[in-house]
Amino acid sequence: MAKKYWLMKTEPDVFSIQDLKKRPDQTENWDGVRNFQARNHIRDMSPGDELLFWHSSCENIGVAGLATIAGKAVPDPTAADPKSKYFDERARKGENPWSMVPVKFKKEFKEVVPMALLKETPGLEGMLVVKKGMRLSVQPVTPEEFAIVLKLAKG
DNA sequence: GCCAACGTTGGC
DNA sequence: GCCAACGTTGGC
């Protein structure tokens, strides 16, 4: 199957690309997703897929770097943990609706590719993340959009 | 199954 | 901190 491209949002105060870089094997499970559309995207991911690592709700909003999908989606154990802020009653009953996927650090950009730049770059008009009101935390990205963002990150 | 109320996300 | 946009919940 062809490689797919994604964008995943996180608040760097909670989990940043620098945090991912410091993890053992530079890999971490992307858990805590509690939106069905986002979860469906997670389940569509395959090892080797690439993703844009997005920093949101912070000083420098935009693409902070790159990571790769390191494995298949599996049930998210935080949903079954009553002490977790991501706890979901349904998971305790044995039907965990939520998934997580391991992601591996690939690259930290020298500078975040800012939202404002994405908005004014030709070819990115259809990119989901620049659309008003788009809150989805896991989004598909087209190969064309991915390539354009990579170019913006150079220099 | 509709829809109002409410909660959350996230850019600004 | 504001608020628009969206998802979820729950009464009917």
Side-chain angles (χ1 to χ4, degrees):
Chain A
M1 200 193 297
K3 192 198 282 188
K4 295 185 290 302
Y5 299 91
W6 309 95
L7 180 149
M8 297 174 92
K9 294 184 191 173
T10 171
E11 299 187 18
D13 289 348
V14 180
F15 185 72
S16 69
I17 187 127
Q18 292 83 13
D19 292 329
L20 178 61
K21 193 178 181 179
K22 282 183 248 164
R23 285 292 194 272
D25 203 27
Q26 299 191 322
T27 301
E28 181 63 285
N29 287 310
W30 199 285
D31 58 18
V33 170
R34 294 294 177 271
N35 170 286
F36 284 105
Q37 226 181 322
R39 182 211 65 184
N40 291 343
H41 288 316
I42 282 178
R43 290 182 177 176
D44 282 342
M45 292 173 175
S46 311
D49 286 359
E50 300 201 53
L51 68 97
L52 302 174
F53 197 105
W54 186 267
H55 280 180
S56 62
S57 298
C58 60
E59 197 88 351
N60 298 307
I61 295 166
V63 183
L66 305 175
T68 55
I69 303 302
K72 287 186 176 172
V74 293
D76 180 352
T78 64
D81 178 5
K83 291 197 291 288
S84 170
K85 67 177 280 206
Y86 301 117
F87 175 66
D88 186 322
E89 184 65 35
R90 286 171 286 191
R92 188 159 61 180
K93 291 176 182 159
E95 300 203 355
N96 190 344
W98 304 113
S99 300
M100 67 178 188
V101 76
V103 303
K104 184 178 174 78
F105 174 85
K106 182 168 183 188
K107 180 167 192 170
E108 177 186 350
F109 294 155
K110 282 187 189 137
E111 290 177 27
V112 171
V113 178
M115 172 76 116
L117 179 58
L118 299 183
K119 282 185 171 171
E120 64 188 26
T121 300
L124 298 183
E125 296 85 359
M127 197 172 176
L128 293 175
V129 77
V130 306
K131 294 192 176 175
K132 194 180 174 191
M134 173 47 71
R135 304 183 311 176
L136 191 60
S137 63
V138 179
Q139 306 174 3
V141 173
T142 69
E144 293 78 15
E145 290 162 352
F146 190 88
I148 293 172
V149 173
L150 280 196
K151 276 187 198 162
L152 293 177
K154 284 188 177 176

